[in-house]
Amino acid sequence: MYTEKEPIVKCPDSEILWEQYYKLRYEVLRKPWQQEVGSETDPSDETSTHGAAIINNEIVAGGRMHLIDTETAQVRYMAVSPIYQGQGMGGKVLQYLENEGKKQGAKKIILQARENAINFYLAKGYTITGEGILLFGVIPHKWMEKII
Ligand SMILES: CC(C)(COP(=O)(O)OP(=O)(O)OC[C@H]1O[C@@H](n2cnc3c(N)ncnc32)[C@H](O)[C@@H]1OP(=O)(O)O)[C@@H](O)C(=O)NCCC(=O)NCCS
Protein backbone atom coordinates (compact mmCIF):
# COMPACT_ATOMS: atom_id res chain seq x y z
CA MET A 1 0.00 0.00 0.00
CA TYR A 2 1.24 3.49 -0.85
CA THR A 3 1.73 5.59 2.26
CA GLU A 4 2.02 9.35 2.07
CA LYS A 5 4.99 10.35 4.25
CA GLU A 6 4.94 14.09 3.61
CA PRO A 7 2.38 15.40 6.10
CA ILE A 8 -0.18 18.13 5.68
CA VAL A 9 0.46 20.61 8.50
CA LYS A 10 -2.52 22.69 9.57
CA CYS A 11 -4.91 23.43 12.39
CA PRO A 12 -7.32 20.51 12.93
CA ASP A 13 -10.51 21.42 11.07
CA SER A 14 -12.99 18.64 11.74
CA GLU A 15 -14.45 16.97 14.80
CA ILE A 16 -12.55 13.77 14.04
CA LEU A 17 -9.22 15.59 13.75
CA TRP A 18 -9.80 17.52 17.00
CA GLU A 19 -10.55 14.24 18.73
CA GLN A 20 -7.35 12.70 17.37
CA TYR A 21 -5.37 15.81 18.29
CA TYR A 22 -6.29 15.72 21.98
CA LYS A 23 -6.06 11.92 22.11
CA LEU A 24 -2.49 12.04 20.82
CA ARG A 25 -1.66 14.71 23.41
CA TYR A 26 -3.09 12.51 26.16
CA GLU A 27 -1.39 9.30 24.96
CA VAL A 28 2.05 10.91 24.61
CA LEU A 29 2.14 13.52 27.38
CA ARG A 30 -0.22 12.31 30.11
CA LYS A 31 -1.09 8.58 30.00
CA PRO A 32 2.45 7.25 30.62
CA TRP A 33 2.36 9.10 33.99
CA GLN A 34 -1.11 7.77 34.89
CA GLN A 35 -2.72 11.21 34.56
CA GLU A 36 -6.48 11.51 34.24
CA VAL A 37 -8.25 11.97 30.93
CA GLY A 38 -8.98 15.70 30.76
CA SER A 39 -5.57 16.64 32.17
CA GLU A 40 -4.34 17.06 28.57
CA THR A 41 -6.26 20.31 28.07
CA ASP A 42 -6.35 23.71 29.76
CA PRO A 43 -8.50 26.83 29.30
CA SER A 44 -5.91 28.49 27.00
CA ASP A 45 -6.63 25.87 24.33
CA GLU A 46 -9.68 27.86 23.29
CA THR A 47 -7.63 30.94 22.43
CA SER A 48 -4.43 29.24 21.18
CA THR A 49 -3.21 28.46 17.68
CA HIS A 50 -2.93 24.73 17.09
CA GLY A 51 -0.83 22.85 14.56
CA ALA A 52 -1.00 19.21 13.52
CA ALA A 53 0.88 17.01 11.06
CA ILE A 54 -1.54 14.75 9.21
CA ILE A 55 -0.68 11.65 7.19
CA ASN A 56 -3.40 9.61 5.50
CA ASN A 57 -6.06 11.52 7.48
CA GLU A 58 -4.40 10.63 10.80
CA ILE A 59 -2.83 13.15 13.14
CA VAL A 60 0.72 12.00 13.84
CA ALA A 61 2.01 15.12 15.61
CA GLY A 62 0.61 18.22 17.27
CA GLY A 63 1.44 21.30 19.27
CA ARG A 64 0.05 24.69 20.20
CA MET A 65 1.17 28.30 20.48
CA HIS A 66 -0.33 31.32 22.23
CA LEU A 67 0.80 34.88 22.69
CA ILE A 68 1.67 35.74 26.29
CA ASP A 69 2.41 39.38 25.42
CA THR A 70 2.50 41.35 22.16
CA GLU A 71 5.98 40.09 21.23
CA THR A 72 6.26 36.71 22.95
CA ALA A 73 4.58 33.40 22.16
CA GLN A 74 4.71 30.20 24.19
CA VAL A 75 4.71 26.78 22.58
CA ARG A 76 3.17 23.95 24.61
CA TYR A 77 2.02 20.34 24.29
CA MET A 78 4.36 19.25 21.48
CA ALA A 79 3.63 15.56 20.93
CA VAL A 80 4.54 13.12 18.16
CA SER A 81 3.08 9.63 17.85
CA PRO A 82 5.81 7.20 19.02
CA ILE A 83 6.03 5.41 15.65
CA TYR A 84 6.60 8.75 13.88
CA GLN A 85 9.16 10.24 16.29
CA GLY A 86 12.51 11.19 14.77
CA GLN A 87 11.05 11.55 11.24
CA GLY A 88 10.77 15.31 11.07
CA MET A 89 7.11 15.57 12.16
CA GLY A 90 7.79 17.51 15.36
CA GLY A 91 10.06 19.85 13.44
CA LYS A 92 7.32 20.57 10.89
CA VAL A 93 4.71 21.31 13.56
CA LEU A 94 7.16 23.55 15.43
CA GLN A 95 7.95 25.44 12.21
CA TYR A 96 4.23 25.93 11.60
CA LEU A 97 3.71 27.29 15.12
CA GLU A 98 6.71 29.61 14.80
CA ASN A 99 5.34 30.95 11.49
CA GLU A 100 1.91 31.48 13.04
CA GLY A 101 3.55 33.27 15.97
CA LYS A 102 5.41 35.53 13.58
CA LYS A 103 2.18 36.37 11.72
CA GLN A 104 0.65 37.35 15.06
CA GLY A 105 3.56 39.67 15.87
CA ALA A 106 5.74 37.45 18.05
CA LYS A 107 9.46 38.12 17.97
CA LYS A 108 10.35 35.41 20.44
CA ILE A 109 9.14 31.90 21.23
CA ILE A 110 9.52 30.55 24.76
CA LEU A 111 8.79 27.05 26.02
CA GLN A 112 9.47 24.59 28.79
CA ALA A 113 11.23 21.55 27.34
CA ARG A 114 11.09 18.13 28.91
CA GLU A 115 14.58 16.79 29.52
CA ASN A 116 14.19 14.23 26.70
CA ALA A 117 13.20 16.95 24.21
CA ILE A 118 16.00 19.45 24.93
CA ASN A 119 18.21 18.19 22.07
CA PHE A 120 15.27 18.48 19.68
CA TYR A 121 14.78 22.15 20.56
CA LEU A 122 18.54 22.82 20.48
CA ALA A 123 18.57 21.37 16.94
CA LYS A 124 15.76 23.79 16.06
CA GLY A 125 17.69 26.87 17.22
CA TYR A 126 16.46 27.26 20.81
CA THR A 127 18.76 28.07 23.73
CA ILE A 128 18.38 27.14 27.39
CA THR A 129 17.51 30.10 29.61
CA GLY A 130 16.78 28.51 32.99
CA GLU A 131 15.33 25.76 35.13
CA GLY A 132 11.67 24.88 34.52
CA ILE A 133 9.06 22.89 36.39
CA LEU A 134 9.31 19.34 37.72
CA LEU A 135 6.13 17.98 36.12
CA PHE A 136 4.25 15.26 38.03
CA GLY A 137 7.19 15.34 40.44
CA VAL A 138 9.38 13.38 38.00
CA ILE A 139 9.83 15.17 34.64
CA PRO A 140 12.41 17.98 34.80
CA HIS A 141 12.02 20.86 32.34
CA LYS A 142 14.28 23.64 31.13
CA TRP A 143 13.05 27.03 29.93
CA MET A 144 14.21 27.60 26.36
CA GLU A 145 13.73 30.41 23.85
CA LYS A 146 14.32 31.37 20.25
CA ILE A 147 14.25 34.74 18.53
CA ILE A 148 12.15 34.38 15.37
C1 LIG B 1 10.34 15.79 21.23
C2 LIG B 1 9.50 15.57 19.97
C3 LIG B 1 8.35 16.58 19.96
C4 LIG B 1 10.39 15.79 18.74
O1 LIG B 1 9.66 15.54 17.56
P1 LIG B 1 10.25 14.51 16.45
O2 LIG B 1 9.28 14.45 15.35
O3 LIG B 1 10.58 13.24 17.15
O4 LIG B 1 11.59 15.24 16.03
P2 LIG B 1 12.03 15.59 14.52
O5 LIG B 1 12.26 14.30 13.82
O6 LIG B 1 11.15 16.61 13.93
O7 LIG B 1 13.40 16.37 14.79
C5 LIG B 1 14.47 15.72 15.13
C6 LIG B 1 15.59 16.71 15.25
O8 LIG B 1 15.93 16.88 16.61
C7 LIG B 1 17.15 16.17 16.87
N1 LIG B 1 16.98 15.41 18.12
C8 LIG B 1 17.88 15.30 19.06
N2 LIG B 1 17.40 14.65 20.11
C9 LIG B 1 16.18 14.29 19.84
C10 LIG B 1 15.20 13.58 20.55
N3 LIG B 1 15.38 13.11 21.78
N4 LIG B 1 14.00 13.37 19.96
C11 LIG B 1 13.81 13.85 18.71
N5 LIG B 1 14.73 14.54 18.01
C12 LIG B 1 15.90 14.76 18.57
C13 LIG B 1 17.41 15.33 15.66
O9 LIG B 1 18.77 15.16 15.44
C14 LIG B 1 16.78 16.17 14.55
O10 LIG B 1 17.59 17.25 14.17
P3 LIG B 1 17.62 17.77 12.65
O11 LIG B 1 16.23 18.27 12.31
O12 LIG B 1 18.64 18.87 12.65
O13 LIG B 1 17.98 16.59 11.81
C15 LIG B 1 8.93 14.13 19.91
O14 LIG B 1 10.00 13.19 19.85
C16 LIG B 1 8.00 13.76 21.07
O15 LIG B 1 6.80 13.91 20.98
N6 LIG B 1 8.56 13.21 22.17
C17 LIG B 1 7.77 12.76 23.30
C18 LIG B 1 6.95 13.86 23.95
C19 LIG B 1 7.77 15.07 24.34
O16 LIG B 1 8.77 14.94 25.02
N7 LIG B 1 7.31 16.24 23.91
C20 LIG B 1 7.97 17.49 24.18
C21 LIG B 1 7.41 18.12 25.38
S1 LIG B 1 8.35 19.59 25.81
Side-chain angles (χ1 to χ4, degrees), residues 8-127:
I8 295 167
V9 183
K10 64 177 183 179
C11 180
D13 56 4
S14 71
E15 208 172 307
I16 291 173
L17 288 179
W18 279 116
E19 224 168 82
Q20 288 180 14
Y21 175 78
Y22 285 113
K23 183 162 185 276
L24 176 67
R25 217 193 243 187
Y26 178 73
E27 297 283 337
V28 175
L29 298 173
R30 293 292 182 265
K31 193 177 176 187
W33 293 273
Q34 293 82 45
Q35 299 302 301
E36 285 176 10
V37 174
S39 63
E40 73 279 15
T41 68
D42 70 64
S44 296
D45 276 321
E46 281 183 27
T47 50
S48 295
T49 298
H50 302 265
I54 302 161
I55 292 181
N56 294 334
N57 298 315
E58 290 284 333
I59 290 192
V60 301
R64 85 163 206 209
M65 179 278 302
H66 68 288
L67 287 183
I68 57 169
D69 63 42
T70 52
E71 301 197 337
T72 313
Q74 182 168 358
V75 164
R76 291 196 64 191
Y77 298 109
M78 284 289 302
V80 179
S81 168
I83 57 167
Y84 280 96
Q85 288 178 13
Q87 297 175 42
M89 301 299 153
K92 288 190 167 77
V93 170
L94 187 60
Q95 182 70 59
Y96 175 88
L97 296 175
E98 288 174 1
N99 290 345
E100 291 298 311
K102 229 184 253 184
K103 282 187 213 164
Q104 293 172 32
K107 296 191 167 45
K108 183 167 80 177
I109 304 277
I110 64 165
L111 54 83
Q112 293 204 55
R114 293 184 181 208
E115 210 166 40
N116 64 285
I118 288 171
N119 284 337
F120 164 72
Y121 292 114
L122 287 172
K124 301 302 172 193
Y126 287 75
T127 54

